[in-house]
Amino acid sequence: MFDSSLKVRIPPSPTGPLHLGTVRTALYNFLLAKKHGGTFVFRLEDTDRERSKSEYVSDIINGFRWLGITWDEGPLRQSEHKARHQMVVKQLIGEGLAYECFCTTEELNEIRQSQRAQNLVEGYDNRHRGLTEEQKKNFREQGRKPVIRFRLPDNKELFWDDLIRGRMTVNTSDLGGDPVIAKDNGDVLYNFAVVVDDNDAGINCVIRGEDHLHNTAKQIALYEGLNWKVPKFGHVSLILTTNREKLSKRKHGDIAGITKYINEGYLPEAIVNYLIGMSWTYPGDDSKEIFTIDEVIPIFSLDNVSKSSAVYDLGKLHWFCKEHFKLTSSEEVLKRAEPFLEKENISLNEYSIEEKLKIISLIKDGLITLSEIPQQVKVFCKIPDLSNLEIKEKECLDDPNAKLILEKLKDLLNESDSLNEEQQVKDLLEKLSSETGIKKGKKLFWPVRVAISGTVHGPDLTSMLSILGLGRVKDRIERVNNFLMNE
RNA sequence: GCCCCUAUCGUCUAGAGGCCUAGGACACCAGAUUUUCAUUUUGGCAACACGGGUUCGAAUCCCGUUAGGGGUACCA
């Protein structure tokens, strides 16, 4: 179906931050291009001068970069093709395929209202299609400035074989009248600009969201009018929220944009995995769920992209996050955690690199985001604040046995000369159990845990103590004993 | 209103007429492991929207209904 002449594109408009839906569409385009050795073009759809902002441009570029989505051409800017757009508009007018329309907003509204009242398709009634020079002159004298409309063929079935949904048909009469291609100030509009730009860039395959289904019909009419080769089209379903609406920044806030995920330290691999797998299924009987983008490239196909919309499930994304943390080496996690540790003012620099990696491997497997790491490794470099414990932890230390356990532990520590080996820690805890007469279990270990870390939750106690080492453990136990004595 | 798209567990999906007493994953529930949380592990709950056809046979094909979504701009 495709070969290396395949040329696809992603054209986000910088009127908002990078959206998850755009990312998924970009991913499918990227995958398709890579699979067939084709070309992936990145273009900024910045024709709307008022809404386009440079901060969004960098947000989009940074987002793609973070996700590992790269392009072969671009970024192209639609706004830079202005002269070309004007040329094509002129050509269309010259050929009688486009014309000036002088309708005011009020007139347009009236048309729509009456159409609606008659249960007709709402839109423009093409009333200025055949304006005489005289009429145009009159409108101009009234101070009206015309928009340019594209003359749609009357009552024509437009069709295409959608790469994802099969044969599609839309009648031109359901398109809401001749579409405006240039505003009264001369700026061209999306449906027109996109056709010119895609054509000029040699785009031969357009994969985009299903919210473009009607635009595709209009664009095909334009391609045909201009006598240009119509690209192949494929329409991906939309991403919905739990209440089954199109996921949008406006309504659903941060979760729709990529920034939140960057800032919170999500692994881009997990986001990519989730988004690809959201409406594409790994072929074969193994029903593989966890994969990398590189693994997907050779086997990607639009054939197993789902036609129905999918609900965005943060819980499932989190599962992907955990799985990808398991796949990521401790070295890599440590490297990526650096900025997050710095931000929380947590430093593990008192530890050797081996010890640091051991710390990471201890906490790595349950992780969802990098931003959870500071909290989890805090125990290794910060002495717990005993005067500010949670209720459960406080009760734990107030237990009469706690005093006994911690006193005994202090004695045993004084007799030890090292805790660096896990076996030494095990022996120590064994002794603590036999000498206090308290069985190994919560009763015995929770007070120790709270004394060391200030919380009953955390990494494996044996590993934790061996990494902390004799000096730190001794110091902390002593502090607790003093604290309990003064209470 | 009109046009278009979609329809399998709560969610993401497998399923292209008999392999389906419908498979997997997330979530949830219960058990085991672990000194805690997490991890790991065993098991459980749970779906073909409805109604008509076609067929020996339908989750799968056709029609209708219903439901959900999208579009309907001098936004993209």
Side-chain angles (χ1 to χ4, degrees), chain A residues 284-302:
Chain A
D285 298 329
D286 51 349
S287 63
K288 194 171 153 88
E289 305 255 356
I290 303 297
F291 43 72
T292 64
I293 195 163
D294 290 333
E295 278 177 282
V296 177
I297 290 172
I299 54 169
F300 182 75
S301 164
L302 255 18

Side-chain angles (χ1 to χ4, degrees), chain A residues 297-483:
Chain A
I297 290 172
I299 54 169
F300 182 75
S301 164
L302 255 18
D303 294 342
N304 33 32
V305 170
S306 164
K307 287 190 277 203
S308 49
S309 319
V311 172
Y312 183 67
D313 182 351
L314 206 57
K316 186 136 190 182
L317 170 63
H318 286 175
W319 176 73
F320 279 97
C321 293
K322 286 187 192 177
E323 294 302 312
H324 278 275
F325 262 110
K326 287 181 203 157
L327 291 177
T328 310
S329 70
S330 298
E331 283 87 349
E332 186 62 26
V333 173
L334 180 62
K335 200 174 106 193
R336 297 198 203 181
E338 249 7 295
F340 293 89
L341 290 170
E342 255 171 57
K343 206 171 113 199
E344 295 302 319
N345 214 359
I346 304 263
S347 167
L348 292 176
N349 286 339
E350 58 189 284
Y351 292 95
S352 71
I353 182 70
E354 287 78 17
E355 286 168 328
K356 281 187 196 174
L357 292 177
K358 209 169 161 199
I359 291 172
I360 295 294
S361 71
L362 225 46
I363 58 152
K364 189 169 77 82
D365 282 5
L367 246 31
I368 293 173
T369 65
L370 292 165
S371 61
E372 292 168 4
I373 294 178
Q375 181 62 30
Q376 301 230 28
V377 304
K378 211 168 82 183
V379 53
F380 293 99
C381 58
K382 292 262 198 267
I383 291 155
D385 181 4
L386 298 167
S387 57
N388 206 4
L389 293 177
E390 301 283 326
I391 297 167
K392 197 170 171 191
E393 279 73 8
K394 203 161 162 32
E395 278 172 1
C396 195
L397 285 188
D398 287 343
D399 188 281
N401 279 328
K403 241 179 190 153
L404 170 73
I405 293 166
L406 295 171
E407 286 287 342
K408 193 76 225 163
L409 180 58
K410 182 184 160 191
D411 295 343
L412 290 171
L413 285 167
N414 282 332
E415 294 164 17
S416 313
D417 43 33
S418 163
L419 273 187
N420 291 336
E421 298 299 323
E422 295 203 356
Q423 193 53 50
Q424 294 171 320
V425 177
K426 278 184 187 153
D427 293 345
L428 177 83
L429 295 176
E430 189 70 46
K431 244 193 220 163
L432 185 65
S433 170
S434 61
E435 296 203 8
T436 53
I438 299 170
K439 279 195 311 204
K440 284 193 283 184
K442 283 187 197 179
K443 275 255 177 295
L444 179 69
F445 294 119
W446 276 23
V448 178
R449 188 175 272 287
V450 172
I452 296 294
S453 69
T455 162
V456 292
H457 301 309
D460 174 64
L461 188 61
T462 313
S463 313
M464 195 161 85
L465 294 184
S466 78
I467 293 170
L468 280 164
L470 187 59
R472 291 190 193 88
V473 173
K474 240 168 141 171
D475 177 56
R476 290 186 193 191
I477 294 300
E478 222 155 289
R479 274 169 189 273
V480 173
N481 280 322
N482 291 339
F483 176 79

